[in-house]
């Protein structure tokens, strides 16, 4: 299965993509994660992306198109994959269409996670993750069962994303509405769009996504 997850920052794309990747045994490809890895590795791409990401703006289409194209050529993607955070502009959507055509791949669906605006800023500014395994937590909604210890791997090291501060989140939301939300109409017109209410609890949203995917 090849899926695209779309929705504003804080809609839960990363969390849901990780769960779907687990249940469908396909890789979760997050361009945000790939770019953060490039920053951590101090690669050329990382150096070019860092300031743009910290400002809440979009990295150039060329950079992300190339990292996605290279990534989906890897053997673990042969049985499908979930794209999270890509495409994010109409130009990227055209590129991914061409990329799939060239590689003779088909897109099964685009899942849109719909969340009220008011919930987004609170969701994002409260989130943090395990620095070791990447498990996600939230100051209000999901604290570790034992304070300061990751439920999943036992690490005591946690981190927050530098772009999860309120000022940057507002820029990211604006960027989403201006540049990414037109993709909803684009995929609707291509009969690929599945809309899911992302306001419920994490398990409820996962169930809802699985339900719409079952109908494909
Ligand atoms: P995310 O982890 O998906 O919230 O992405 C974090 C940041 O990485 C975004 O705010 C952008 O600066 C950059 N980024 C991730 N994916 C893309 C993309 N497809 N196009 C452009 N920039 C991206």
């Amino acid at each position: 299965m090849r899926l695209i997850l779309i929705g504003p920052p804080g809609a839960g794309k990363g969390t849901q993509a990780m769960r779907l990747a687990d249940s469908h045994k396909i890789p979760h490809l997050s361009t945000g994660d790939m770019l953060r890895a490039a920053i951590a590795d101090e690669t050329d791409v990382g150096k070019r992306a860092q300031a743009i990401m910290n400002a809440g703006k979009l990295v150039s289409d060329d950079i992300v198109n190339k990292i996605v194209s290279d990534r989906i050529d890897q053997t673990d993607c042969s049985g499908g994959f979930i794209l999270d955070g890509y495409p994010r502009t109409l130009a990227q959507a055209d590129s991914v269409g061409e990329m799939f055509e060239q590689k003779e791949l088909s897109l099964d669906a685009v899942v849109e996670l719909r969340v009220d605006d008011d919930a987004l800023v609170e969701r994002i500014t409260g989130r943090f993750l395990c620095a070791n395994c990447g498990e996600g937590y939230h100051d209000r909604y999901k604290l570790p069962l034992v304070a300061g210890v990751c439920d999943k791997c036992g690490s005591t090291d946690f981190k927050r994303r530098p772009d999860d501060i309120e000022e940057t989140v507002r820029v990211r939301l604006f960027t989403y509405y201006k540049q990414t939300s037109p993709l909803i109409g684009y995929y609707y017109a291509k009969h690929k769009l599945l809309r899911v209410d992302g306001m419920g609890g994490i398990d409820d949203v996962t169930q809802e996504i699985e339900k719409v995917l079952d109908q494909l």
Side-chain angles (χ1 to χ4, degrees):
M1 184 169 61
R2 290 176 207 91
L3 277 188
I4 290 174
L5 282 192
I6 195 166
K13 297 185 299 294
T15 306
Q16 296 300 335
M18 270 162 78
R19 291 174 153 227
L20 293 170
D22 259 6
S23 62
H24 293 264
K25 314 234 174 315
I26 47 179
H28 163 210
L29 311 184
S30 152
T31 41
D33 286 349
M34 293 181 215
L35 291 165
R36 281 183 286 278
I39 292 174
D41 294 344
E42 299 180 5
T43 65
D44 280 349
V45 163
K47 284 178 196 148
R48 282 161 67 194
Q50 188 165 26
I52 301 170
M53 288 173 72
N54 287 345
K57 305 265 174 68
L58 293 186
V59 174
S60 81
D61 292 338
D62 291 352
I63 290 183
V64 287
N65 289 338
K66 165 106 176 69
I67 57 175
V68 171
S69 176
D70 291 348
R71 182 66 186 85
I72 63 183
D73 283 341
Q74 290 176 20
T75 49
D76 63 331
C77 292
S78 61
F81 47 81
I82 301 168
L83 288 170
D84 155 20
Y86 177 90
R88 238 175 169 108
T89 62
L90 287 169
Q92 289 177 21
D94 281 339
S95 295
V96 81
E98 285 159 24
M99 209 185 281
F100 274 43
E101 214 167 286
Q102 260 172 20
K103 297 179 198 289
E104 297 183 4
L105 302 174
S106 60
L107 174 67
D108 292 286
V110 176
V111 176
E112 179 202 0
L113 287 180
R114 299 165 69 85
V115 178
D116 294 346
D117 253 21
D118 291 345
L120 296 172
V121 175
E122 197 207 1
R123 277 192 184 192
I124 300 179
T125 53
R127 70 188 182 182
F128 61 99
L129 63 153
C130 170
N132 179 48
C133 72
E135 180 71 357
Y137 294 95
H138 193 280
D139 293 328
R140 241 179 104 179
Y141 306 116
K142 191 190 161 200
L143 285 165
L145 296 172
V146 177
V149 182
C150 175
D151 298 346
K152 211 168 168 188
C153 75
S155 166
T156 53
D157 200 8
F158 294 90
K159 60 183 183 183
R160 286 177 195 263
R161 281 173 45 173
D163 58 346
D164 276 352
I165 52 171
E166 184 164 347
E167 196 190 343
T168 312
V169 170
R170 295 206 181 273
V171 178
R172 286 165 59 202
L173 276 175
F174 185 73
T175 305
Y176 173 79
Y177 286 114
K178 187 175 171 189
Q179 293 183 264
T180 309
S181 65
L183 269 62
I184 291 166
Y186 178 101
Y187 285 116
Y188 172 77
K190 286 182 177 283
H191 308 289
K192 291 291 176 194
L193 191 70
L194 303 173
R195 310 185 114 165
V196 169
D197 179 4
M199 285 300 288
I202 295 174
D203 290 342
D204 297 336
V205 178
T206 308
Q207 271 181 23
E208 194 56 35
I209 298 175
E210 296 286 13
K211 209 164 86 190
V212 295
L213 292 178
D214 277 350
Q215 289 160 12
L216 280 179

